[in-house]
């Protein structure tokens, strides 16, 4: 089984709020000078792929990303150091402006160009726009089966068994290959830390860069999205916190008094 | 007048709150201009009174598809059914709940119908010919307004974003639509459903006591549970305890996880990452208990208690018990 994992780089979502700003011109987060990381769940998706490879169920794992080529270097190096066999970078200077459907169009075209894959893994959502559309759109574009919010994947013959974390518990889903599966985190797919030796060897692994202009075979359904970002605003928090001081018993008494006054308890 | 199709998914055999919330969303979108609201009722079998309930809450027309394949988690089957209803109804807008099935369904439906797509909308209104959908972005740190000009448009709606419309007498018309769903043709099939020890009524609870990484382990959640029980509330968590396996995933509140709007939210050992805050910003009163007085949660909280929760939470429990007994 060959696996392709889609990775996205985002401004580190753990950065403190003071470092968060919206650029009014692009209506996107200010990226310049900020630390970029692989979007949270994308690393879990890569880990799931690598576990399938470790178990002998996958023959090759390819990391695929759409980004300005220079900006993608760190993410690509980390993915290769973690254990991906090769990387494909769709070099697109406008990548950070693309919404999910536009990104899905490019990724679908890139996957068709890669050609050989049985399973495509993505994160269940990106840490920035949280649209949760990539896996379902790719599944449609590639005529593949689709399962989202999956924490574990087991390989079978011509299919995978996915453990989907659902609103009402855990679903077991049998999906035919090819399949596109989005991955959420759990204790079993925590991303591995590469060893020094892995990091050294990552530099020798193949990285293919594809100029975005070469991807012309975009799915018709995703060409005109009909959606534009009109405004992005940071809501002003009006709450001011009243700190209740003292020993724990005094703090507790003060809180109960206030909650009773508000008729909350 | 635009026609809005609401996907009322009752795959577990009951018509849940989310369908009625979508009718609230349809009403918000219709605004003063009005709209014809149609509901697609998807269920494994006919459900007594469900079509009538949808009618009383604003659906002028209910198209029901009943088929054994329309069961829990079965997106592929639901997709075939909704496509059939779309062909029958020809809506301008389709509203889908952003739940386990809806999150898969909305993008796939949009792709198949070459429709515009917006997910996780929290507010909807018309602005001339454009639909304006507001949603959280950047882990809840910002709100984006998206203008949708293409039709049809498929929009998924984040749970708890709209109230169900007040019920009225006028029930709409109802019809059944036969849809051929070939179970053998489905590419992804749910073969098992394990209902987790879901914290009862986390989404409905008026009081939620929630723990984060600072709680330190499964053991610490017992203190939270005692307090929640005393208050008739529920226990929740931020992402780290769910990831670490201290609590079931179904307890998780936030962008990934549940969205809640309780009267009282007590955040214990929760730093206040945007990802978590996104799920609780609708809470009326927020109390934060944390050792770090610089924790971002305090910028959201109404009351802050800086200290060790192992001492503060039992003190709170004791104080409330004392009040109850007097």
């Amino acid at each position: 089984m060959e696996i392709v994992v889609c990775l996205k780089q985002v401004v580190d979502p753990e950065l403190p709020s003071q470092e968060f700003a919206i650029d009014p011109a692009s209506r996107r987060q200010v990226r310049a000078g900020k630390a970029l990381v692989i979007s949270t769940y994308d690393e879990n998706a890569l880990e799931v792929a690598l576990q399938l490879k470790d178990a002998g169920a996958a023959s090759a794992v390819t990391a695929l990303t759409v980004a300005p080529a220079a900006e993608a270097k760190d993410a690509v190096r980390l993915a290769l150091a973690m254990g991906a066999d090769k990387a494909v970078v769709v070099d697109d200077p406008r990548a950070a402006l693309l919404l999910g459907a536009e990104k899905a169009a490019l990724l679908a075209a890139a996957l068709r160009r890669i050609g050989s894959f049985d399973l495509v893994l993505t994160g269940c959502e990106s840490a920035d726009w949280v649209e949760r559309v990539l896996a379902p759109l790719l599944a449609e574009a590639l005529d593949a089966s689709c399962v989202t919010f999956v924490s574990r994947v087991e390989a079978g013959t011509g299919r995978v068994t996915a453990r989907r974390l659902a609103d009402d518990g855990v679903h077991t889903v049998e999906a035919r290959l090819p399949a596109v599966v989005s991955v959420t985190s759990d204790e079993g797919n925590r991303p591995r830390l590469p060893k020094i030796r892995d990091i050294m060897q990552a530099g020798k692994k193949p990285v293919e860069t594809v100029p975005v202009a070469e991807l012309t075979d975009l799915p018709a359904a995703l060409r005109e999205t009909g959606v534009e970002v009109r405004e992005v605003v940071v809501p002003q928090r009006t709450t001011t916190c009243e700190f209740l001081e003292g020993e724990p018993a005094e703090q507790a008494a003060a809180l109960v008094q206030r909650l009773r006054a508000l008729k909350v308890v | 007048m635009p026609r809005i199709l609401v996907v009322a998914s009752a795959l577990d055999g009951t018509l849940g709150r989310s369908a009625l919330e979508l009718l609230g969303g349809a009403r918000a979108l219709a605004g003063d201009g009005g709209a014809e609201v149609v509901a697609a009722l998807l269920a494994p079998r006919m459900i007594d009174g469900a079509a009538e309930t949808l009618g009383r809450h604003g659906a002028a027309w209910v198209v029901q598809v009943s088929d054994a394949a329309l069961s829990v988690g079965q997106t592929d089957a639901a997709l075939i059914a909704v496509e059939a209803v779309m062909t029958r109804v020809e809506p301008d807008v389709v509203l889908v709940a952003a739940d386990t099935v809806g999150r898969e369904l909305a993008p796939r439906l949009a792709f198949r119908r070459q429709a515009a797509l917006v997910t996780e909308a929290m507010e909807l209104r018309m602005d001339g010919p454009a639909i304006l959908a507001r949603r959280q972005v950047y882990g809840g740190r910002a709100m984006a307004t998206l203008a949708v000009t293409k039709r049809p448009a498929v929009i998924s709606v984040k749970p708890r974003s709209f109230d169900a419309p007040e019920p009225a007498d006028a029930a709409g018309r109802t019809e059944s639509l036969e849809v051929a769903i070939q179970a053998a043709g489905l590419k992804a099939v749910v073969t098992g459903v394990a209902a987790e020890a879901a914290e009862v009524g986390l989404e409905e609870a008026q009081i939620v006591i929630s723990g984060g990484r600072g709680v330190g382990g499964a053991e610490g959640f017992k203190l939270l549970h005692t307090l929640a029980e005393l208050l008739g509330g529920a226990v929740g968590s931020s992402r780290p305890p769910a990831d670490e396996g201290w609590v079931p995933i179904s307890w998780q509140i936030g962008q990934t996880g549940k969205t809640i709007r309780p009267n009282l939210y007590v955040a214990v050992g929760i730093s206040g990452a945007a990802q978590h805050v996104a799920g609780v910003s609708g809470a009326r009163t927020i109390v934060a208990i944390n050792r770090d007085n610089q924790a971002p949660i305090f910028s959201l909280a109404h009351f802050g208690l800086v200290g060790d929760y192992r001492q503060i939470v039992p003190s709170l429990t004791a104080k409330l018990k004392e009040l109850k007994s007097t």
Side-chain angles (χ1 to χ4, degrees):
Chain A
M1 183 165 74
E2 294 188 45
I3 306 179
V4 178
V5 184
C6 300
L7 302 173
K8 178 180 188 178
Q9 266 187 316
V10 295
V11 175
D12 188 348
E14 304 289 328
L15 285 179
S17 322
Q18 306 90 278
E19 293 203 37
F20 178 82
I22 298 294
D23 166 34
S26 67
R27 293 178 291 276
R28 300 294 191 281
Q29 183 176 11
V30 174
R31 255 171 117 85
K34 307 288 179 207
L36 298 180
V37 296
I38 296 179
S39 185
T40 320
Y41 298 101
D42 297 1
E43 280 194 59
N44 300 93
L46 179 55
E47 176 61 34
V48 166
L50 296 173
Q51 286 179 11
L52 284 166
K53 195 184 164 202
D54 293 346
S59 54
V61 174
T62 302
L64 170 63
T65 189
V66 177
E71 208 176 74
K73 282 200 172 96
D74 288 349
V76 163
R77 195 177 300 128
L78 176 58
L80 294 174
M82 280 174 72
D85 299 290
K86 60 175 177 164
V88 176
V89 178
V90 175
D91 181 12
D92 184 357
R94 291 183 66 251
L97 295 173
L98 302 181
L99 294 188
E102 299 160 296
K103 213 50 151 327
L106 294 178
L107 287 167
L111 281 157
R112 283 197 200 126
R113 188 183 150 119
I114 291 170
S116 58
F117 58 86
D118 306 285
L119 178 63
V120 177
L121 298 178
T122 74
C124 59
E125 64 192 34
S126 66
D128 49 10
W129 274 62
V130 202
E131 291 182 89
R132 303 171 164 167
V133 299
L134 186 58
L137 290 177
L138 284 179
E140 288 298 315
L142 301 167
D143 199 17
S145 55
C146 172
V147 196
T148 61
F149 286 80
V150 167
S151 66
R152 272 172 236 169
V153 177
E154 279 171 40
T157 308
R159 62 183 185 180
V160 288
T161 305
R163 180 177 188 266
R164 176 168 70 188
L165 302 187
D167 298 328
D168 58 351
V170 178
H171 296 173
T172 305
V173 185
E174 302 262 345
R176 282 187 213 161
L177 297 178
V180 184
V181 172
S182 88
V183 173
T184 187
S185 62
D186 82 348
E187 63 271 30
N189 64 27
R190 215 165 281 152
R192 61 192 64 187
L193 292 172
K195 299 186 182 70
I196 298 288
R197 193 175 56 99
D198 302 326
I199 297 168
M200 306 287 285
Q201 283 179 350
K204 295 177 198 147
K205 291 181 176 175
V207 179
E208 185 191 351
T209 302
V210 181
V212 68
E214 282 184 21
L215 297 177
T216 49
D217 181 23
L218 304 184
L222 299 176
R223 261 182 220 149
E224 292 293 332
T225 64
V227 177
E228 62 158 40
V229 181
R230 189 169 279 188
E231 183 186 68
V232 178
V233 293
V234 180
Q236 295 303 314
R237 298 244 181 259
T238 48
T239 321
T240 45
C241 183
E242 181 189 355
F243 284 94
L244 307 176
E245 316 282 347
E247 291 298 308
E250 296 167 316
Q251 290 176 298
L255 179 62
V256 170
Q257 188 204 346
R258 280 161 180 77
L259 294 180
R260 290 190 78 191
L262 289 169
K263 299 196 188 322
V264 176
V265 296
Chain B
M1 199 155 66
R3 187 175 276 174
I4 304 173
L5 177 67
V6 159
V7 177
S9 162
L11 303 184
D12 64 353
T14 56
L15 182 66
R17 187 183 55 200
S18 68
L20 303 186
E21 288 177 7
L22 290 180
L23 290 170
R27 183 160 292 183
L29 185 56
D32 298 335
E36 185 185 9
V37 179
V38 188
L41 174 57
L42 315 183
R45 58 191 166 275
M46 296 284 274
I47 304 170
D48 282 344
E52 198 192 332
T53 303
L54 292 167
R56 277 191 290 116
H57 286 87
W61 178 13
V62 180
V63 181
Q64 45 188 1
V65 185
S66 307
D67 190 301
L70 294 168
S71 55
V72 171
Q74 217 38 279
T75 309
D76 283 15
L79 183 57
I80 293 168
V82 177
E83 275 207 87
V85 176
M86 271 187 88
T87 302
R88 170 92 179 93
V89 172
E90 296 184 346
D92 301 291
V93 183
V94 183
L95 298 183
V96 180
D99 54 18
T100 293
V101 166
R103 286 189 302 243
E104 295 178 355
L105 180 78
R108 295 179 64 188
L109 189 64
F111 187 98
R112 290 187 181 192
R113 292 289 162 149
Q114 305 217 359
L117 172 66
V118 173
T119 56
E120 316 273 336
M122 297 171 75
E123 291 169 35
L124 294 170
R125 68 184 171 91
M126 294 302 301
D127 178 36
I131 298 169
L132 297 188
R134 285 194 99 208
R135 64 189 301 281
Q136 292 175 326
V137 288
Y138 301 110
R141 279 178 162 148
M143 292 291 291
T145 303
L146 300 161
V148 185
T149 46
K150 187 171 157 184
R151 300 289 182 275
V154 176
I155 300 174
S156 79
V157 176
K158 194 176 168 75
R160 308 299 309 262
S161 298
F162 294 98
D163 293 324
E166 289 297 321
D169 286 339
R173 64 191 160 109
T174 298
E175 69 173 67
S176 287
L177 185 66
E178 290 292 325
V179 180
I181 302 174
Q182 305 293 338
L186 304 180
K187 287 182 186 166
V189 176
V190 176
T191 56
V193 175
E196 228 172 23
E199 185 63 10
V200 181
L202 180 56
E203 281 165 299
E204 284 79 26
Q206 289 307 307
I207 296 180
V208 174
I209 315 294
S210 193
R213 190 186 293 286
V215 171
E219 195 64 23
F221 272 87
K222 289 183 185 162
L223 292 177
L224 276 56
H225 202 87
T226 310
L227 177 59
E229 227 170 33
L230 183 69
L231 290 168
V235 181
S237 86
S238 61
R239 204 178 122 209
D243 275 3
E244 298 285 345
W246 302 344
V247 301
I249 295 276
S250 57
W251 290 23
Q252 187 175 321
I253 296 160
Q255 187 91 61
T256 319
K258 299 200 159 69
T259 302
I260 58 169
R261 286 161 69 183
N263 273 332
L264 174 63
Y265 185 70
V266 182
V268 181
I270 290 177
S271 66
Q275 202 278 131
H276 174 70
V277 166
V280 299
S281 51
R284 212 145 60 135
T285 302
I286 298 178
V287 174
I289 302 174
N290 206 298
R291 271 149 61 133
D292 173 10
N293 65 1
Q294 295 297 312
I297 190 77
F298 289 120
S299 67
L300 184 77
H302 302 88
F303 302 110
L305 288 72
V306 178
D308 184 356
Y309 85 91
R310 287 181 187 82
Q311 295 177 356
I312 295 173
V313 171
S315 296
L316 262 176
T317 306
K319 186 75 197 165
L320 288 161
K321 257 193 193 148
E322 188 187 307
L323 280 174
K324 260 197 166 171
S325 61
T326 55

